[in-house]
Amino acid sequence: MRISRNTNKNRNKKSKVFPRYMQEKLAITVLVITLALFALVMVLYNLMTHKKEDFNQIVLSQQQYDSRVIPFKRGDILDRNGTYLAASEKVYNLILDPKQIMSDPDAYLEPSVTALTECFGYDRNEIMNLIQEKKDKQYVRYTKQLTYEDKTKYDKYKLDKTKALKKEKKDIKGIWFEDEYKRIYPYNSMGSKVIGFANGDGMGGTGGIEQFYNTTLMGINGREYGYLNDDSNLERVIKPSSNGNTVVSTIDVNIQKIVEKYINEWEQQTGSKKVGVIVMDPNNAEILAMADDKSFDLNNPRDLRPEFTPDLLRQLGIKEAIDDFKRKNKDAQPLTEETVTQHYNDEQIISLGTQVAWNQTWRNFTISDGFEPGSTEKIFTVSAALEEGAITGQEVFDCNRFLEVGGHKIKCVSRFGHGPITVEQGLMKSCNVVMMRIAQQIGKDKFYKYQQMFGFGSKTGIDLPGEADNRSTIYTVDNAGPTDLATNSFGQNFNTTMIQMAAAYGSVINGGSYYEPHVIKQILNEQGAIVKKVDPVLVRETVSEPTTKFINEALFKTVNAEGGTGGAAKVAGYKVAGKTGTAEKIPRDKKNYVVSFCGYAPADNPQVLVYVVVDEPHVEDQPHSTYASQIFQKIMADILPYLNIFPDTDTEGAPSGDGAKLPEQEGITSETTAASEGDGTSQETTAQETTAAVPTLENGQTVAPEDLNPSEEYVNRQEGDDSELPASVPQDTSESLEGESQSIEETTAQ
């Protein structure tokens, strides 16, 4: 019985070895482990679903792998009708894998080298040595930009040889092709300044649309990566590329060809320092064509033009080296032509000169270079006066050869004077005296208010890179004196650009709407759907409809009526209107000129505007507006029929009457009295002036009618001429405008 009790006692003791509190701890531990395992599962699940690609790359980076970029295709550039101006063509880079070839040289080396020599004509010894020298490399780019035909030829060769090589236990290995895109320009140099060009890798553009819309044209590179297994087979993971968008421009290929045809004809027959042409729709400021005489091959943009001889490159390089040293060493003694070789060797000088030559070649004269516009400015002087009621348009002024202002005897374009002359005739005959008198009646405040409204002194905002900023070369109400007001009224002593002038003209002749000039209509995605439509941007209203009608009538007579200076711009059967311009360049004593013509058609409903500027014609007697008018006439004669603008049968003669009759609205009528704020009514507006005598020569003879009614604008400066035209623009120091222009040209193209 004792034994039995002891046994029960022991059993009770044994049952108490794992007490309750320990059971609770064990349960908690199991629960924690279970929760930890659950959390680990969740983390692994998250990694597999959200971080898979990142960890794949980490794993692959620790193994033997092969990786390559899948290039995007840069977006195309089209003209307004869908013609390709720039496109990207797929090409192939030949890649060698010496490590794979040399993994079994007896089996792979000879067949692979033979394939390269027979398909592409490469030097056998060169390839053999390359493979052996770089036997540890897996990626050697041997040749760039092979064509599809080249690749197809190799693929066919390999397919034909595979069976025979396998019998010999050999194979072609370690040769593959990498996709790439090559930028091509189907029309070579056509439209080079407005299109621009893409860099070799397609990642950036230089000049034109290629630069301004670079982010739109660019895509995103893809990636192919993976690892090589034991059989040297590539296990791939591919992230596809995203191609760039297509840009549809406002340029018309056919109009661009016409413009460049006549620029080239001018350069071959006469030539000039510079010539530029803009063709624009004045109703929305779309640029239809834009060109200058310094075109270049977009497919080979770094091939220099013939005029850049080694001697010229050296001269440009020396000047740039001097400027470069000055920029980098502001406190040091400036270099001279004699000391420049102490700091720059010949190779560096030629390199700098080449860069300057490239920049001069790629520079877009029509938007990047400022110049004094001359008489094309006169429509803005008249427009401002009409808008402010300073004149009615019916006034008669007396032009007696010159007007003395601020101590300067400022002459008219006619050395004989025009005698009694109306406002309309002042535009037709391009009379400086009329414009100076009108500017006096407007007053300084209102004149420069309208200069600003017409966009002078501010960028137009055109969607092209390199637009000049002329703020420092234009007068304002704060810094202009009486002489500045006088000379600015007829387009001297301030700078503008061609695109500023074209945009301002468009606003005056279209009824007063100033649009931002632009070269893009639409942006399309890879599937051809419209991503963005570029609508015309109305910036401001400049003039009223009556002013537009007055100017259009006057400029129609400038081209078509007797005494108008734009006769050379006539196009048979069409109502062409326009204004000539002849600007005397700084320094004035060098007798260099910029001649221009800005015209449009039809005069009563403008559909197309053409602006031509010729800088320093290569002739002894430069200041003939006819040089620009004739280029305009040839261009307009070709593009009007192309644009389906039909001839008008009522253009045989000019409208009758000496003055333009203004519509009787908005307070501008033929009965409205001339008003002037602050200056008082000019004595030239009195009735006595209508009976002023016709100008006579010093011997008393009457001036010949052809001298009073010239067929062109011609600044006829005689020997000993005592006229004084100020020789500076705002903030212009001792250096001439010519020097400023040169420094602008040598700025690096962005």
Side-chain angles (χ1 to χ4, degrees), residues 392-444:
T392 66
Q394 305 303 312
E395 292 81 1
V396 178
F397 296 88
D398 184 39
C399 173
N400 187 23
R401 296 185 301 159
F402 66 88
L403 194 66
E404 190 166 344
V405 182
H408 294 271
K409 189 179 288 186
I410 305 174
K411 285 201 171 184
C412 187
V413 293
S414 171
R415 65 190 179 96
F416 304 107
H418 291 106
I421 184 170
T422 65
V423 175
E424 183 182 69
Q425 290 171 335
L427 287 173
M428 291 172 57
K429 299 172 185 283
S430 204
C431 179
N432 290 347
V433 172
V434 168
M435 298 305 136
M436 289 188 281
R437 287 299 191 190
I438 290 175
Q440 288 175 345
Q441 292 187 201
I442 301 172
K444 185 172 70 170

Side-chain angles (χ1 to χ4, degrees), residues 17 42 45 106 151 153 196 201 230 234 268 312 406 408 434 475 495 501 538 565 596 606 627 636 674 695 725:
V17 171
M42 293 301 296
Y45 177 78
D106 293 335
K151 181 178 180 296
K153 182 179 179 181
D201 58 2
D230 294 338
L234 182 66
Q268 292 170 7
L312 179 56
H408 294 271
V434 168
Y475 283 100
N495 277 8
M501 185 63 74
L538 178 60
T565 59
S596 58
Y627 295 128
M636 192 65 94
L725 189 61

Side-chain angles (χ1 to χ4, degrees), residues 231-252:
D231 297 325
S232 294
N233 294 321
L234 182 66
E235 300 293 337
R236 290 184 173 89
V237 178
I238 298 176
K239 181 180 179 182
S241 61
S242 177
N243 294 331
N245 289 328
T246 292
V247 168
V248 181
S249 72
T250 61
I251 299 299
D252 189 306

Side-chain angles (χ1 to χ4, degrees), residues 372-633:
E372 293 176 87
S375 297
T376 48
E377 153 73 16
K378 290 173 180 175
I379 73 161
F380 306 111
T381 299
V382 173
S383 295
L386 289 172
E387 286 299 302
E388 290 297 322
I391 62 172
T392 66
Q394 305 303 312
E395 292 81 1
V396 178
F397 296 88
D398 184 39
C399 173
N400 187 23
R401 296 185 301 159
F402 66 88
L403 194 66
E404 190 166 344
V405 182
H408 294 271
K409 189 179 288 186
I410 305 174
K411 285 201 171 184
C412 187
V413 293
S414 171
R415 65 190 179 96
F416 304 107
H418 291 106
I421 184 170
T422 65
V423 175
E424 183 182 69
Q425 290 171 335
L427 287 173
M428 291 172 57
K429 299 172 185 283
S430 204
C431 179
N432 290 347
V433 172
V434 168
M435 298 305 136
M436 289 188 281
R437 287 299 191 190
I438 290 175
Q440 288 175 345
Q441 292 187 201
I442 301 172
K444 185 172 70 170
D445 290 349
K446 291 180 179 178
F447 179 87
Y448 288 108
K449 178 185 99 173
Y450 277 88
Q451 284 286 88
Q452 185 177 12
M453 284 179 59
F454 290 125
F456 299 114
S458 60
K459 293 184 178 182
T460 64
I462 187 171
D463 47 349
L464 288 174
E467 183 177 6
D469 187 347
N470 288 321
R471 283 178 297 177
S472 64
T473 59
I474 185 168
Y475 283 100
T476 65
V477 68
D478 296 325
N479 63 1
T483 305
D484 307 318
L485 176 63
T487 55
N488 288 178
S489 72
F490 57 87
Q492 295 273 188
N493 288 86
F494 77 93
N495 277 8
T496 185
T497 62
M498 287 190 67
I499 193 62
Q500 284 179 329
M501 185 63 74
Y505 256 78
S507 77
V508 172
I509 67 175
N510 71 12
S513 299
Y514 185 102
Y515 288 98
E516 184 177 88
H518 57 286
V519 297
I520 295 300
K521 287 177 68 72
Q522 293 176 337
I523 296 173
L524 312 177
N525 64 17
E526 193 175 355
Q527 289 72 41
I530 298 176
V531 175
K532 180 180 179 182
K533 184 178 179 182
V534 182
D535 295 317
V537 177
L538 178 60
V539 180
R540 68 183 76 91
E541 296 291 337
T542 56
V543 299
S544 60
E545 189 66 30
T547 296
T548 290
K549 289 183 178 180
F550 181 92
I551 296 297
N552 286 346
E553 179 77 6
L555 297 194
F556 173 76
K557 292 180 180 179
T558 300
V559 174
N560 297 279
E562 181 182 357
T565 59
K570 287 182 184 178
V571 178
Y574 288 95
K575 291 182 177 179
V576 174
K579 182 71 190 77
T580 54
T582 308
E584 198 172 357
K585 294 181 67 176
I586 298 173
R588 310 296 188 199
D589 58 357
K590 286 191 175 181
K591 299 292 189 288
N592 288 324
Y593 295 84
V594 175
V595 295
S596 58
F597 187 86
C598 191
Y600 51 94
D604 52 359
N605 181 26
Q607 298 299 307
V608 60
L609 177 145
V610 177
Y611 184 32
V612 179
V613 173
V614 179
D615 183 8
E616 294 186 28
H618 291 163
V619 293
E620 185 175 348
D621 193 18
Q622 294 181 13
H624 292 268
S625 65
T626 299
Y627 295 128
S629 302
Q630 288 176 341
I631 297 173
F632 166 90
Q633 190 275 338

